[in-house]
Amino acid sequence: MAELTTVAVAGASGQLGKPLVSLFIKSGHYSIVRILVRQGTIDKPEFQEYRDRSGVEIVEVDYENPDSVLASLKDIQLVVSCVAKPGQITNQLPLAKAAHTAGVKLFIPSDFGQNFPTYGDPNDRYVNTPVLYGKYAFFKLANEINLPQASFAVGNWMESLITPRGGFDFAARKVTIYGTGEPPVSWAVTNDIARYVDHILRTVPLKEALGKKFRMQGDRQSPNDIVRLWEQKYGEKLEVTYKPISEIHKLLDESEGNNFLASLWNEWANGRGAFPPDEVDNHYFPDWNPKKVVDYI
């Protein structure tokens, strides 16, 4: 999208937003890189490093005030949302409405994760987290108002999930896996996600990007593969505990579906954790060379 040269970013201080903003600035492609910050947060330390950067603007936004949101998008052609927290994901809705009114050429929503084919489906009680419904609400609104948009499905984030929280406690030499552990899972690290998104936004023609979900994959490894890779790399054995899928459903039922991690485990265990090979869009960035799981662990 070489024709888009002004960009506004929401969620610029987050895990993905920060490296993405740095790449936008470093590329020199954008005449304006505007960082949208929530009301009352403009003086936070994480935003101060941008104050003296040429072409970078920091704008405070009151997402409950339509005029404030609309004013924040003046002269902006591209909006990238990296908001992720449950309490902030709904900010995409007033931002989307303002983008439509302002004539923004392309909106990239915060959908940087695994592709959940059934989110928004009231019949799937196991995909019912606030984050997922916040994402679903965006796409529903975007379709209703004909907002020009494209999105990115990036798989599962290694830094967040190949961790004790995700069941991989390598320090304790223990791993917990739900189901058989054999279905493959798509993986990537944050910096590689940012590099891919930045490359796509600067190189793919707008006409080709409109309405497309770009599926990128840094690596494709099952939970059992990760165990084998770790044991081969370090020459030690891990204690692996397998739990039935019914245990995931118990976690989700107890939380009334509001357990994002359990929702991910449910997708992995049921063979929906990886993109079909013929749907992966890595060819858009031939020189990407993303980090592999074996190099991360």
Side-chain angles (χ1 to χ4, degrees):
M1 286 146 264
E3 60 266 55
L4 305 184
T5 58
T6 59
V7 60
V9 182
S13 64
Q15 185 176 351
L16 177 60
K18 189 169 184 177
L20 199 51
V21 166
S22 295
L23 288 169
F24 288 166
I25 296 170
K26 184 179 179 180
S27 73
H29 176 78
Y30 300 98
S31 59
I32 297 175
V33 177
R34 185 173 297 161
I35 297 171
L36 308 182
V37 303
R38 287 175 292 117
Q39 191 174 38
T41 65
I42 197 167
D43 292 323
K44 284 192 171 183
E46 54 262 39
F47 300 123
Q48 303 315 305
E49 64 182 281
Y50 300 118
R51 285 195 176 277
D52 298 323
R53 302 291 293 270
S54 176
V56 179
E57 303 173 358
I58 304 175
V59 175
E60 194 171 42
V61 184
D62 177 0
Y63 284 100
E64 295 183 1
N65 182 336
D67 291 336
S68 173
V69 185
L70 181 60
S72 74
L73 300 182
K74 179 178 171 55
D75 299 323
I76 292 298
Q77 299 170 324
L78 170 65
V79 174
V80 179
S81 173
C82 296
V83 295
K85 295 180 180 178
Q88 299 172 18
I89 194 77
T90 53
N91 289 343
Q92 290 193 119
L93 302 183
L95 194 59
K97 293 176 182 177
H100 179 261
T101 301
V104 165
K105 302 298 184 185
L106 187 68
F107 193 111
I108 306 296
S110 182
D111 193 39
F112 304 101
Q114 183 169 299
N115 186 39
F116 284 79
T118 60
Y119 73 11
D121 182 351
N123 296 315
D124 189 346
R125 71 182 192 277
Y126 297 129
V127 185
N128 190 38
T129 72
V131 169
L132 289 178
Y133 268 102
K135 293 180 178 184
Y136 169 74
F138 165 81
F139 286 109
K140 183 174 183 293
L141 174 64
N143 288 332
E144 290 172 353
I145 64 177
N146 293 317
L147 179 69
Q149 57 86 19
S151 58
F152 292 84
V154 303
N156 297 268
W157 298 31
M158 295 188 209
E159 298 99 321
S160 299
L161 296 167
I162 305 183
T163 61
R165 172 176 174 265
F168 298 92
D169 191 348
F170 295 132
R173 306 299 189 266
K174 294 182 178 181
V175 172
T176 300
I177 294 173
Y178 290 90
T180 66
E182 281 302 312
V185 176
S186 294
W187 298 99
V189 296
T190 306
N191 284 339
D192 287 337
I193 295 170
R195 289 173 50 234
Y196 182 91
V197 173
D198 170 61
H199 179 82
I200 294 297
L201 294 180
R202 289 186 292 105
T203 61
V204 175
L206 176 61
K207 185 177 180 180
E208 183 177 346
L210 286 171
K212 180 173 176 58
K213 182 183 287 290
F214 292 91
R215 293 173 172 84
M216 50 143 283
Q217 180 175 259
D219 201 358
R220 181 186 179 92
Q221 302 288 350
S222 72
N224 286 344
D225 289 334
I226 295 173
V227 169
R228 286 191 285 267
L229 288 170
W230 192 94
E231 291 180 340
Q232 291 169 4
K233 184 173 183 177
Y234 295 102
E236 299 182 45
K237 297 295 290 183
L238 294 168
E239 179 185 332
V240 183
T241 300
Y242 291 92
K243 294 187 176 183
I245 295 176
S246 60
E247 288 294 310
I248 307 175
H249 294 171
K250 183 179 178 181
L251 291 172
L252 289 164
D253 287 336
E254 289 173 349
S255 66
E256 296 183 349
N258 190 11
N259 186 324
F260 184 62
L261 186 56
S263 292
L264 287 174
W265 286 333
N266 188 56
E267 297 300 293
W268 299 359
N270 285 287
R272 298 190 295 264
F275 305 127
D278 61 346
E279 294 183 6
V280 174
D281 293 312
N282 288 10
H283 61 278
Y284 281 103
F285 194 176
D287 298 326
W288 185 33
N289 192 28
K291 178 174 284 189
K292 303 303 180 184
V293 168
V294 70
D295 298 316
Y296 174 77
I297 57 178

